[in-house]
Amino acid sequence: QPVLAMHQVSKLYGEGSGRVAALDEVSVAIPRGGFTAIMGPSGSGKSTFMNVAAGLDDATSGEVVLAGQPLSKLGDEGRTVLRREQVGFVFQAFNLVPTLSALENILLPFDLAGRKVTAEQRQWIDQLVHTLGLAERIDHRPSELSGGQQQRVAIARALASQPAIIFADEPTGNLDSRSSREVLTLLRTASREYGQTIAMVSHDPVAASYADRILVIADGRIVGDHGPLTPQQIS
Ligand code: ADP
Ligand code: ADP
């Protein structure tokens, strides 16, 4: 069973002649463990795809099945719980809490869900912190970290609870090229070595080159579904 399945999903905005199909009968399945990049020009529907897939926004028609749960059958609260338990988010702007240390930020989703960190989870988080090269910075606040380090904290936060899927929205949008490569390598490692499913929205072909599948969106439709990019396609 795929982690995410969309069946003829449409999302319409506006009324009458101003009506826009931000998603137009999109059907796609994202299997467990894949690293999928969602590419397309500005206004093509990438954010809408992510918001509808994650249950942040309702589809106008069609069905989204996330971690085995049809979203149309869940109320707002059910979807919030599903997101909390099964979905991780990584954003362009990092979205860390400025008053908390790196470690406190990583543990925040557990606090928000009112869940205790088990010994096993604590071990996994320690491993993540080391793998991400954050061990010496773990008590620092976000303002004391570089952009690349902040994004690594955000990725650790998303990976900590081993969610069914991580949605990353332009995760390298605020990073220099070296930090971008580090962050993308981490995402790829999370997918290849830890089996973490990742869906990344990006318009950067270099970022997409780290993914093992590229979905191309134009005018709310999936117009391309490719394997990894070749070097010629990247340049
Ligand atoms: P992208 O993320 O690729 O830039 P979006 O998903 O943000 O694209 O937008 C897709 C289309 O839907 C665009 O035409 C956009 O103007 C429209 N759209 C997105 N959000 C809204 C909204 N809240 N109200 C009206 N139109 C919207
Ligand atoms: P865009 O990609 O269009 O520039 P953003 O990256 O700011 O927009 O946000 C994408 C979507 O993710 C927004 O529609 C917003 O509702 C949602 N979002 C932003 N921050 C959070 C958050 N901390 N938790 C959950 N959802 C968020």
Side-chain angles (χ1 to χ4, degrees), residues 13-14 20-23 40-49 57 169 201 217:
Y13 287 113
V20 174
L23 290 180
S42 185
S44 57
K46 302 184 297 297
S47 296
T48 305
F49 178 92
D57 236 340
D169 190 1
V201 165
I217 300 196

Side-chain angles (χ1 to χ4, degrees), residues 47 50-51 56 89 91 95 169:
S47 296
M50 203 182 95
N51 290 342
L56 291 165
F89 290 98
F91 298 99
N95 291 22
D169 190 1

